[in-house]
Amino acid sequence: MTTPFDPLVPRPIDRPAEVPLTPLTAEQLAALDEAKIFAAPSDPADRPAWRARLREWREDSRRRHDYTGEAYERPGAAWAARCHTVAQVWLWDELLYSFAEHKFTPEVFLADARERFGGLDAVVLWHAYPVIGLDDRNQWDYYRDVPGLAELVKALHDAGLHVFVDYNPWDVGTRRGADDLTELADLVADFEADGVFLDTLKKAEPGFVERLEAARPGIVLEGESKLPVERIADHTASWAQFFADSPVPGVLRAHWYERRHMQHHVRRWHRDHSKELQSAWLNGVGVMVWEVVFGVWVGWSARDAATVRRMVTVQRAAGDLLLGGEWTPLAELTPEAEAAGVYASGWELDGVTLWTLVNRGETDYAGELLPAGPGKVLDLLGGVPARGIGAVLHLAEGTPEPAWLPELLDAVKSAPHDAHSRFPHRIAERVSPQRTTGEPEADAVTVPAGPYVLTVRYQARETGMYQGAPYVDEWKPLPPRLHDARTLQRDGSLVTPVAVAATEVTNAQFAEFLTATGYRPAYGHRFLAHWTDGVPGNPDEPVTFVDLDDARAYCAWRGGRLPTEDEWQLAGETGGLTGDHAGEPAVWNSSLWNWTESEHSDGRTRFVMIKGGSDYRAEGSEWYVEGGRHAPDVSVKLLLPGLGLARAATVGFRCAWEVTA
């Protein structure tokens, strides 16, 4: 018995689609409001009725929700409808920020985006997660305490990009200021942000929307997942994240409902982006380019980057067609094209039709695409390569060429297809520690030379650990796996014994260093922020508000260096590392996170492994850095911010020395 095919009722994407349509009930129409993608029929004979039902649903849903589209008439928000590429970028991505020069480098970031992706339309400046919770700084501090951030936003605006800031509704356990809505509205106004990315949210509530609109007229709100149909009215953009398409490409519900509603396809962990790119191309929407996912390199292949470049070259030129033309999903092609796995959408306006084409097959297709008929046909992109895209322009008889066509034809010459689909691996290299020359402290814990094997425990956040993505090509990793406790083994060998200081360096010791050397950091923001007029409050407490370079400078003055992550753990597991200061009872682990000499960079992200733990713990969310004191085998991968933001109230350090005698 064959299961009836109903093209609009949500269903498993592998259900057969061969039988005639049945009438939709009012309940079914309402249920369609919850769909992500309307699954498409495999039989071309079913598609005219399928398209008719799509129009029927849209008209019915707009009527039920009293849709007016007023939000899309705001002059300040019109840019969102043409925002086809948006990048999510960590503020301290080494394309955007130079650690050597202590400054933002938007020109480097933008040049790379132009070369590989054809340029960007917008950027999300990601700021707090996954470092928030290290101390009591809240999400607003991680924007407002960044020197030069306003100038960075201006530079991006001057380059023609729009800028999103990020809102973390789960940040409830750090330092409290004003209520979230007041803080966010002020932030948007002060930094002249164009949009707000709603982290972990599908939507903002109406009062929230109104308050932000008052602060920054035309503000664009973009949620992380499926947007309820009734909120398309006041959210002009949304992520199409982890959206599963049907075998024959389907239609994005929110964009079909309102053509000006921009969606950005994204599968953050995937190494093959061809499916979401093809869905975006057929639906006339955009993509999220996200190559560093919270410190993990998931770069795009040359093929997928070239596909984005080809897409945006056409989308920007033919934007009026995509927004105002008559959209025909799964438009008719030749039988040969369909047999090869080629599908198309048609966009017609005033006698000009743009055909956006995708090739789901593994073989390039260069045959006939459109049924024979009158008019002029131009192949804009030169066939439809395997797992790639194509574009054809059809001019009805007597229709003049669009004014934008010559410029487009010239632009596509610099946007060739690239068939190279291998993942562009990056290796995170560790910064090699300096050799030491001094004598260790008398109570230092000596770790013997020779081979060792360590068990390392960590929380599987999205930062991963040493190399590679933690969820390669997974469809949608969810808790508890997203934050579960994990264990790995590390092995190595010490060439010489290493002595690790039993306690952290104190304020008094660091003050002595400053007096003796006159040391001042290259960039002093937040340096010793807990001292008053250069004088520590309690000289016997561990020094904090120092970054890696500050700690390295002190250790070098003492003839030592920072211990590596493994040296720290080996010493700690002997029971010899303490937090014993100012008469505190000795404990086997540290009351502060400790810097280690296990700093890495893959050319895009700098990170360091920290050890020890902290008496501070941010409560109320699983997204925070795990606070509290930890056993020596626990490691945390901390992404390094620049401009002094790495200096924290909860991070100190201790020295280590190689033992040569």
Side-chain angles (χ1 to χ4, degrees):
M1 182 176 179
T2 306
T3 304
F5 171 62
D6 197 334
L8 293 183
V9 175
R11 61 183 177 83
I13 62 174
D14 58 352
R15 183 183 294 178
E18 295 121 359
V19 295
L21 306 175
T22 56
L24 292 174
T25 66
E27 290 76 14
Q28 288 172 328
L29 283 166
L32 291 172
D33 288 359
E34 299 301 315
K36 293 180 178 179
I37 297 182
F38 294 136
S42 58
D43 187 344
D46 287 332
R47 293 172 191 167
W50 175 71
R51 289 190 289 267
R53 286 289 178 77
L54 289 176
R55 291 189 289 271
E56 175 189 347
W57 167 80
R58 180 173 58 198
E59 293 167 4
D60 176 85
S61 186
R62 285 182 169 185
R63 184 170 55 253
R64 283 186 284 115
H65 295 288
D66 296 323
Y67 182 73
T68 64
E70 291 179 5
Y72 297 86
E73 302 297 333
R74 299 171 299 159
W79 63 270
R82 298 173 188 261
C83 178
H84 289 100
T85 49
V86 57
Q88 179 149 311
V89 59
W90 171 237
L91 269 176
W92 315 106
D93 185 316
E94 291 184 87
L95 276 182
L96 186 63
Y97 176 77
S98 169
F99 283 87
E101 300 174 276
H102 305 288
K103 69 174 187 177
F104 289 112
T105 56
E107 67 283 356
V108 177
F109 173 77
L110 294 172
D112 175 81
R114 282 192 298 270
E115 178 182 353
R116 293 192 297 131
F117 298 103
L120 300 169
D121 299 315
V123 63
V124 181
L125 295 179
W126 198 265
H127 66 317
Y129 176 79
V131 300
I132 189 170
L134 182 69
D135 56 16
D136 72 347
R137 281 175 286 179
N138 62 36
Q139 60 180 305
W140 320 114
D141 296 327
Y142 277 98
Y143 276 131
R144 292 197 175 278
D145 198 29
V146 176
L149 182 59
E151 290 75 13
L152 172 61
V153 173
K154 183 179 185 303
L156 294 169
H157 280 160
D158 290 346
L161 277 71
H162 291 85
V163 176
F164 286 86
V165 294
D166 171 44
Y167 169 54
N168 307 134
W170 46 265
D171 177 24
V172 296
T174 54
R175 183 185 71 83
R176 297 296 87 193
D179 63 274
D180 277 7
L181 190 46
T182 296
E183 294 275 16
L184 181 57
D186 289 348
L187 183 81
V188 162
D190 292 347
F191 286 96
E192 298 185 352
D194 306 291
V196 175
F197 173 65
L198 305 169
D199 180 36
T200 73
L201 295 176
K202 296 179 180 179
K203 59 181 175 60
E205 295 306 318
F208 192 104
V209 176
E210 292 172 8
R211 181 75 175 276
L212 291 182
E213 178 66 18
R216 181 81 166 148
I219 192 74
V220 171
L221 303 182
E222 182 156 1
E224 188 172 354
S225 188
K226 181 185 68 176
L227 181 66
V229 69
E230 67 273 13
R231 303 311 302 282
I232 296 172
D234 56 9
H235 289 61
T236 50
S238 62
W239 273 17
Q241 180 173 224
F242 305 126
F243 280 22
D245 204 352
S246 46
V248 174
V251 168
L252 289 167
R253 168 189 53 92
H255 189 66
W256 178 260
Y257 187 92
E258 167 56 76
R259 189 83 60 84
R260 293 169 293 181
H261 181 85
M262 176 53 68
Q263 293 186 271
H264 295 112
H265 259 295
V266 55
R267 298 180 189 175
R268 64 180 70 173
W269 301 110
H270 279 213
R271 295 183 174 181
D272 179 349
H273 295 283
S274 58
K275 287 186 177 179
E276 69 258 38
L277 289 174
Q278 290 184 347
S279 177
W281 185 232
L282 290 178
N283 280 274
V285 299
V287 293
M288 164 70 76
V289 176
W290 195 359
E291 292 196 298
V292 181
V293 179
F294 308 127
V296 174
W297 171 248
V298 287
W300 284 40
S301 70
R303 182 196 67 196
D304 291 342
T307 298
V308 173
R309 189 166 61 245
R310 288 154 67 84
M311 284 174 55
V312 299
T313 300
V314 177
Q315 287 172 327
R316 290 169 184 158
D320 290 346
L321 276 171
L322 296 175
L323 284 174
E326 177 65 27
W327 176 15
T328 304
L330 291 184
E332 182 183 0
L333 296 176
T334 63
E336 294 80 9
E338 176 121 1
V342 177
Y343 301 97
S345 280
W347 315 82
E348 190 277 328
L349 183 65
D350 297 332
V352 179
T353 304
L354 172 68
W355 302 77
T356 57
L357 303 119
V358 304
N359 184 348
R360 290 269 175 116
E362 301 294 336
T363 304
D364 294 351
Y365 183 80
E368 292 296 324
L369 290 164
L370 306 182
K376 182 179 180 181
V377 175
L378 297 171
D379 186 344
L380 300 177
L381 296 177
V384 196
R387 302 185 71 82
I389 66 166
V392 169
L393 196 70
H394 175 259
L395 304 177
E397 286 187 306
T399 302
E401 291 186 351
W404 45 262
L405 182 59
E407 185 176 350
L408 172 60
L409 292 175
D410 185 60
V412 295
K413 295 176 184 176
S414 60
H417 177 68
D418 192 326
H420 190 61
S421 60
R422 186 175 185 271
F423 178 75
H425 288 274
R426 282 178 174 266
I427 303 299
E429 302 286 351
R430 200 186 84 180
V431 176
S432 298
Q434 300 296 313
R435 300 303 300 269
T436 65
T437 58
E439 295 295 322
E441 296 174 351
D443 60 350
V445 179
T446 299
V447 179
Y452 60 85
V453 177
L454 291 176
T455 298
V456 177
R457 303 183 190 280
Y458 66 100
Q459 182 176 323
R461 300 188 302 154
E462 291 173 276
T463 57
M465 278 298 273
Y466 304 100
Q467 302 288 355
Y471 310 104
V472 174
D473 283 352
E474 288 196 25
W475 183 250
K476 189 176 183 181
L478 295 171
R481 285 197 59 250
L482 192 57
H483 296 99
D484 60 355
R486 298 193 182 184
T487 302
L488 57 81
Q489 276 196 340
R490 289 174 56 79
D491 59 75
S493 182
L494 295 181
V495 177
T496 62
V498 174
V500 180
T503 59
E504 290 103 347
V505 172
T506 65
N507 284 315
Q509 291 170 322
F510 201 82
E512 181 185 359
F513 156 67
L514 296 179
T515 300
T517 65
Y519 172 81
R520 293 296 180 269
Y523 198 90
H525 184 53
R526 295 178 59 83
F527 181 59
L528 301 175
H530 60 314
W531 290 18
T532 303
D533 297 325
V535 178
N538 186 333
D540 296 323
E541 287 183 349
V543 67
T544 56
F545 288 100
V546 289
D547 64 14
L548 269 174
D549 288 342
D550 304 329
R552 285 170 174 151
Y554 175 90
C555 290
W557 175 66
R558 292 292 307 274
R561 59 168 171 80
L562 292 170
T564 67
E565 172 196 6
D566 291 0
E567 292 164 355
W568 199 105
Q569 181 170 336
L570 288 164
E573 289 180 341
T574 70
L577 302 189
T578 76
D580 187 8
H581 293 284
E584 294 178 11
V587 292
W588 60 269
N589 63 342
S590 172
S591 60
L592 285 174
W593 291 110
N594 280 199
W595 293 122
T596 73
E597 199 55 86
S598 290
E599 179 190 6
H600 301 70
S601 171
D602 63 5
R604 294 292 297 269
T605 302
R606 300 186 79 86
F607 67 88
V608 65
M609 310 309 295
I610 57 174
K611 303 288 280 187
S614 166
D615 285 337
Y616 176 78
R617 185 193 299 270
E619 303 284 0
S621 175
E622 61 186 351
W623 302 103
Y624 290 128
V625 171
E626 50 269 43
R629 298 190 182 197
H630 294 285
D633 61 353
V634 172
S635 292
V636 167
K637 176 182 177 179
L638 182 72
L639 307 193
L640 284 174
L643 298 178
L645 267 74
R647 298 182 176 114
T650 56
V651 184
F653 69 99
R654 62 188 76 215
C655 297
W657 298 262
E658 291 148 14
V659 179
T660 56

